[in-house]
Amino acid sequence: MTITNDIHNNLKKNNTIFNYKNIMLYNDSVLNKQLLQPQSLDLIITSPPYNVGIEYNSNVDSNDYKEYLEFCKIWLKNCYFWAKNGARFCLNIPLDKNKGGQQSVGADLTQIAKKVGWRYHSTIIWNEGNISRRTAWGSWLSASAPYVIAPVELILVLYKGEWKKQYKGQSDIQKQEFMDWTNGLWTFNGESKKRIGHPAPFPRELPRRCIKLFSFVGDVVCDPFSGSGTTMIESYLNKRQFVGIELDSTYCELSKNRFLEIIKKEGGLFE
């Protein structure tokens, strides 16, 4: 199977920003349901906008919370439409937020995902080593109105249809990796915005673990908020096919350049 023939509708060929060795990146919107064929993705890994005022080039990240949840409902439904039966979905989201008012983001997005059809499997707690810099305490040293902020994020593990895959594929995960990563508490540092050149990158370790734990070699991985191309890089290096969707053309170019630079240093060809 090749991505170009079997996954994409190719309705707007000029929005294909990058195509290399079964790695495809679209400069398009996750809200465009017609972009990909239904039943075409094996694994989705993404971290969507958190609606906390991050300054993205092409996305408003400070909408009314109800509007934000409606936006999430649409793109979660599109991902479900594109996913194969048996597909997995690793969704990196905050546990909660207090910017613009206290909101239970993780719980709310979990419920929306289930309503559009996704089934819940488990939640991985990501203990991000550099997330603990506090900027708000509420009422200092007082019970009046303190803020409680957990220095973790969630990786929500969802699936479509049945959890057990109905076909046999090649797994490439090692024994110690499997033992460590099936422990639902993952501890590794976040990524530097300045080093990557993107306002909200996640570290390569996150998609690497999800790819090896939840997919077979050659499976099709998708990141519908492809950002700086981290999932694209790890998909290629771990011999998976990839399709990314990124609204901002500047981030698409960043992804392309970063991808080519890294695989030149680290990766061989994936035929």
Side-chain angles (χ1 to χ4, degrees):
M1 181 182 70
T2 60
I3 282 182
T4 304
N5 293 334
D6 296 342
I7 294 178
H8 298 267
N9 278 322
N10 289 321
L11 296 178
K12 298 189 292 181
K13 293 182 179 180
N14 62 352
N15 67 353
T16 306
I17 200 78
F18 185 59
N19 184 2
Y20 176 80
K21 298 286 185 181
N22 283 332
I23 301 294
M24 181 80 78
L25 177 62
Y26 271 162
N27 181 197
D28 210 309
S29 171
V30 68
L31 302 183
N32 178 9
K33 183 179 180 180
Q34 302 306 315
L35 182 62
L36 305 182
Q37 297 280 6
Q39 299 270 349
S40 59
L41 305 176
D42 295 294
L43 174 63
I44 301 167
I45 304 169
T46 200
S47 185
Y50 287 2
N51 202 45
V52 292
I54 293 175
E55 294 184 5
Y56 296 105
N57 287 344
S58 302
N59 181 74
V60 177
D61 196 47
S62 55
N63 290 313
D64 175 81
Y65 192 62
K66 288 184 179 180
E67 292 179 0
Y68 172 70
L69 294 182
E70 184 60 32
F71 161 72
C72 289
K73 180 180 178 181
I74 297 170
W75 74 260
L76 285 165
K77 193 172 183 178
N78 285 352
C79 287
Y80 186 82
F81 175 75
W82 297 328
K84 295 178 183 178
N85 284 323
R88 283 80 181 270
F89 186 5
C90 298
L91 178 57
N92 173 216
I93 50 177
L95 175 62
D96 49 28
K97 76 180 187 82
N98 60 20
K99 190 167 185 177
Q102 301 288 120
Q103 300 291 352
S104 55
V105 183
D108 293 341
L109 293 191
T110 300
Q111 290 303 311
I112 290 172
K114 290 166 69 175
K115 285 180 181 178
V116 304
W118 290 104
R119 295 184 177 182
Y120 176 83
H121 182 265
S122 56
T123 298
I124 297 165
I125 304 299
W126 172 25
N127 180 19
E128 183 183 351
N130 60 355
I131 201 174
S132 60
R133 294 186 295 272
R134 298 288 297 273
T135 58
W137 301 89
S139 57
W140 176 251
L141 297 180
S142 170
S144 174
Y147 287 169
V148 177
I149 302 174
V152 299
E153 293 194 3
L154 308 181
I155 303 171
L156 189 64
V157 182
L158 308 165
Y159 65 100
K160 180 177 179 178
E162 299 296 327
W163 175 250
K164 186 175 182 179
K165 288 187 174 295
Q166 300 303 303
Y167 66 97
K168 290 187 177 180
Q170 178 188 349
S171 290
D172 56 352
I173 192 167
Q174 302 301 308
K175 178 181 177 180
Q176 194 60 50
E177 291 174 335
F178 187 86
M179 292 174 65
D180 292 343
W181 300 348
T182 51
N183 181 330
L185 176 61
W186 290 1
T187 300
F188 51 84
N189 287 344
E191 185 56 271
S192 166
K193 302 174 187 178
K194 184 176 181 180
R195 188 177 76 84
I196 299 300
H198 184 276
F202 55 38
R204 289 172 55 184
E205 185 68 9
L206 192 155
R208 185 175 79 89
R209 292 189 183 194
C210 293
I211 287 167
K212 296 187 73 175
L213 186 58
F214 296 117
S215 73
F216 292 133
V217 172
D219 276 357
V220 181
V221 178
C222 175
D223 189 338
F225 296 94
S226 194
S228 58
T230 305
T231 306
M232 177 167 71
I233 291 164
E234 288 301 316
S235 295
Y236 179 87
L237 293 178
N238 289 285
K239 299 183 179 180
R240 271 66 167 179
Q241 303 182 70
F242 176 80
V243 53
I245 304 168
E246 173 52 50
L247 182 64
D248 187 78
S249 59
T250 302
Y251 300 152
C252 286
E253 193 65 22
L254 169 64
S255 298
K256 174 183 174 181
N257 294 335
R258 187 172 171 231
F259 174 87
L260 293 173
E261 179 183 357
I262 288 175
I263 66 166
K264 185 177 180 180
K265 293 179 180 177
E266 300 181 23
L269 294 179
F270 170 29
E271 299 294 346

PDB file of all heavy atoms in Angstrom, residues 199-212:
ATOM      1  N   PRO A 199       5.820  27.487  18.825  1.00  0.00           N
ATOM      2  CA  PRO A 199       5.375  27.901  20.166  1.00  0.00           C
ATOM      3  C   PRO A 199       4.937  26.771  21.086  1.00  0.00           C
ATOM      4  O   PRO A 199       4.811  26.987  22.296  1.00  0.00           O
ATOM      5  CB  PRO A 199       4.199  28.837  19.862  1.00  0.00           C
ATOM      6  CG  PRO A 199       3.710  28.431  18.523  1.00  0.00           C
ATOM      7  CD  PRO A 199       4.924  28.001  17.763  1.00  0.00           C
ATOM      8  N   ALA A 200       4.680  25.577  20.556  1.00  0.00           N
ATOM      9  CA  ALA A 200       4.206  24.492  21.426  1.00  0.00           C
ATOM     10  C   ALA A 200       4.644  23.123  20.896  1.00  0.00           C
ATOM     11  O   ALA A 200       3.805  22.276  20.580  1.00  0.00           O
ATOM     12  CB  ALA A 200       2.688  24.551  21.542  1.00  0.00           C
ATOM     13  N   PRO A 201       5.940  22.868  20.799  1.00  0.00           N
ATOM     14  CA  PRO A 201       6.390  21.554  20.307  1.00  0.00           C
ATOM     15  C   PRO A 201       6.321  20.505  21.413  1.00  0.00           C
ATOM     16  O   PRO A 201       6.444  20.832  22.591  1.00  0.00           O
ATOM     17  CB  PRO A 201       7.851  21.814  19.921  1.00  0.00           C
ATOM     18  CG  PRO A 201       8.297  22.866  20.889  1.00  0.00           C
ATOM     19  CD  PRO A 201       7.082  23.741  21.131  1.00  0.00           C
ATOM     20  N   PHE A 202       6.086  19.249  21.036  1.00  0.00           N
ATOM     21  CA  PHE A 202       6.289  18.213  22.037  1.00  0.00           C
ATOM     22  C   PHE A 202       7.570  17.453  21.703  1.00  0.00           C
ATOM     23  O   PHE A 202       8.060  17.497  20.576  1.00  0.00           O
ATOM     24  CB  PHE A 202       5.086  17.298  22.256  1.00  0.00           C
ATOM     25  CG  PHE A 202       4.490  16.588  21.062  1.00  0.00           C
ATOM     26  CD1 PHE A 202       5.273  16.073  20.042  1.00  0.00           C
ATOM     27  CD2 PHE A 202       3.120  16.393  20.992  1.00  0.00           C
ATOM     28  CE1 PHE A 202       4.719  15.385  18.981  1.00  0.00           C
ATOM     29  CE2 PHE A 202       2.538  15.718  19.934  1.00  0.00           C
ATOM     30  CZ  PHE A 202       3.355  15.214  18.924  1.00  0.00           C
ATOM     31  N   PRO A 203       8.165  16.785  22.681  1.00  0.00           N
ATOM     32  CA  PRO A 203       9.451  16.124  22.471  1.00  0.00           C
ATOM     33  C   PRO A 203       9.302  14.869  21.616  1.00  0.00           C
ATOM     34  O   PRO A 203       8.232  14.246  21.576  1.00  0.00           O
ATOM     35  CB  PRO A 203       9.899  15.762  23.895  1.00  0.00           C
ATOM     36  CG  PRO A 203       8.635  15.619  24.651  1.00  0.00           C
ATOM     37  CD  PRO A 203       7.685  16.626  24.073  1.00  0.00           C
ATOM     38  N   ARG A 204      10.356  14.473  20.957  1.00  0.00           N
ATOM     39  CA  ARG A 204      10.329  13.310  20.089  1.00  0.00           C
ATOM     40  C   ARG A 204      10.017  12.023  20.854  1.00  0.00           C
ATOM     41  O   ARG A 204       9.477  11.073  20.280  1.00  0.00           O
ATOM     42  CB  ARG A 204      11.664  13.188  19.348  1.00  0.00           C
ATOM     43  CG  ARG A 204      11.852  14.262  18.289  1.00  0.00           C
ATOM     44  CD  ARG A 204      13.244  14.251  17.695  1.00  0.00           C
ATOM     45  NE  ARG A 204      13.596  12.939  17.162  1.00  0.00           N
ATOM     46  CZ  ARG A 204      14.790  12.637  16.658  1.00  0.00           C
ATOM     47  NH1 ARG A 204      15.743  13.559  16.632  1.00  0.00           N
ATOM     48  NH2 ARG A 204      15.034  11.429  16.192  1.00  0.00           N
ATOM     49  N   GLU A 205      10.329  11.999  22.123  1.00  0.00           N
ATOM     50  CA  GLU A 205      10.092  10.801  22.925  1.00  0.00           C
ATOM     51  C   GLU A 205       8.613  10.443  22.997  1.00  0.00           C
ATOM     52  O   GLU A 205       8.249   9.256  23.063  1.00  0.00           O
ATOM     53  CB  GLU A 205      10.651  10.999  24.342  1.00  0.00           C
ATOM     54  CG  GLU A 205      10.570   9.785  25.235  1.00  0.00           C
ATOM     55  CD  GLU A 205      11.482   8.644  24.819  1.00  0.00           C
ATOM     56  OE1 GLU A 205      12.334   8.824  23.912  1.00  0.00           O
ATOM     57  OE2 GLU A 205      11.334   7.549  25.390  1.00  0.00           O
ATOM     58  N   LEU A 206       7.751  11.441  22.968  1.00  0.00           N
ATOM     59  CA  LEU A 206       6.314  11.178  23.084  1.00  0.00           C
ATOM     60  C   LEU A 206       5.786  10.386  21.882  1.00  0.00           C
ATOM     61  O   LEU A 206       5.223   9.294  22.069  1.00  0.00           O
ATOM     62  CB  LEU A 206       5.557  12.491  23.296  1.00  0.00           C
ATOM     63  CG  LEU A 206       4.090  12.391  23.710  1.00  0.00           C
ATOM     64  CD1 LEU A 206       3.674  13.645  24.460  1.00  0.00           C
ATOM     65  CD2 LEU A 206       3.155  12.183  22.524  1.00  0.00           C
ATOM     66  N   PRO A 207       5.932  10.862  20.643  1.00  0.00           N
ATOM     67  CA  PRO A 207       5.439  10.045  19.530  1.00  0.00           C
ATOM     68  C   PRO A 207       6.229   8.752  19.334  1.00  0.00           C
ATOM     69  O   PRO A 207       5.668   7.750  18.892  1.00  0.00           O
ATOM     70  CB  PRO A 207       5.564  10.973  18.320  1.00  0.00           C
ATOM     71  CG  PRO A 207       6.572  11.985  18.704  1.00  0.00           C
ATOM     72  CD  PRO A 207       6.404  12.173  20.181  1.00  0.00           C
ATOM     73  N   ARG A 208       7.517   8.758  19.669  1.00  0.00           N
ATOM     74  CA  ARG A 208       8.309   7.531  19.520  1.00  0.00           C
ATOM     75  C   ARG A 208       7.715   6.401  20.351  1.00  0.00           C
ATOM     76  O   ARG A 208       7.541   5.275  19.871  1.00  0.00           O
ATOM     77  CB  ARG A 208       9.761   7.774  19.937  1.00  0.00           C
ATOM     78  CG  ARG A 208      10.672   6.567  19.699  1.00  0.00           C
ATOM     79  CD  ARG A 208      12.108   6.906  20.022  1.00  0.00           C
ATOM     80  NE  ARG A 208      12.371   6.884  21.455  1.00  0.00           N
ATOM     81  CZ  ARG A 208      12.758   5.777  22.123  1.00  0.00           C
ATOM     82  NH1 ARG A 208      12.913   4.631  21.487  1.00  0.00           N
ATOM     83  NH2 ARG A 208      12.987   5.838  23.417  1.00  0.00           N
ATOM     84  N   ARG A 209       7.393   6.686  21.601  1.00  0.00           N
ATOM     85  CA  ARG A 209       6.808   5.664  22.461  1.00  0.00           C
ATOM     86  C   ARG A 209       5.434   5.227  21.947  1.00  0.00           C
ATOM     87  O   ARG A 209       5.126   4.022  21.917  1.00  0.00           O
ATOM     88  CB  ARG A 209       6.681   6.189  23.895  1.00  0.00           C
ATOM     89  CG  ARG A 209       8.012   6.405  24.586  1.00  0.00           C
ATOM     90  CD  ARG A 209       7.811   6.716  26.071  1.00  0.00           C
ATOM     91  NE  ARG A 209       9.075   7.009  26.743  1.00  0.00           N
ATOM     92  CZ  ARG A 209       9.239   7.045  28.058  1.00  0.00           C
ATOM     93  NH1 ARG A 209       8.196   6.801  28.855  1.00  0.00           N
ATOM     94  NH2 ARG A 209      10.412   7.320  28.598  1.00  0.00           N
ATOM     95  N   CYS A 210       4.614   6.176  21.569  1.00  0.00           N
ATOM     96  CA  CYS A 210       3.268   5.841  21.089  1.00  0.00           C
ATOM     97  C   CYS A 210       3.320   5.010  19.816  1.00  0.00           C
ATOM     98  O   CYS A 210       2.554   4.052  19.650  1.00  0.00           O
ATOM     99  CB  CYS A 210       2.464   7.115  20.858  1.00  0.00           C
ATOM    100  SG  CYS A 210       2.072   8.042  22.364  1.00  0.00           S
ATOM    101  N   ILE A 211       4.223   5.353  18.912  1.00  0.00           N
ATOM    102  CA  ILE A 211       4.358   4.632  17.645  1.00  0.00           C
ATOM    103  C   ILE A 211       4.764   3.185  17.891  1.00  0.00           C
ATOM    104  O   ILE A 211       4.157   2.245  17.350  1.00  0.00           O
ATOM    105  CB  ILE A 211       5.382   5.340  16.740  1.00  0.00           C
ATOM    106  CG1 ILE A 211       4.779   6.635  16.177  1.00  0.00           C
ATOM    107  CG2 ILE A 211       5.842   4.427  15.597  1.00  0.00           C
ATOM    108  CD1 ILE A 211       5.797   7.558  15.540  1.00  0.00           C
ATOM    109  N   LYS A 212       5.773   2.970  18.712  1.00  0.00           N
ATOM    110  CA  LYS A 212       6.287   1.617  18.915  1.00  0.00           C
ATOM    111  C   LYS A 212       5.357   0.762  19.782  1.00  0.00           C
ATOM    112  O   LYS A 212       5.281  -0.459  19.603  1.00  0.00           O
ATOM    113  CB  LYS A 212       7.684   1.671  19.528  1.00  0.00           C
ATOM    114  CG  LYS A 212       8.725   2.324  18.631  1.00  0.00           C
ATOM    115  CD  LYS A 212      10.122   2.219  19.186  1.00  0.00           C
ATOM    116  CE  LYS A 212      10.680   0.810  19.084  1.00  0.00           C
ATOM    117  NZ  LYS A 212      12.083   0.719  19.512  1.00  0.00           N
TER     118      LYS A 212
END
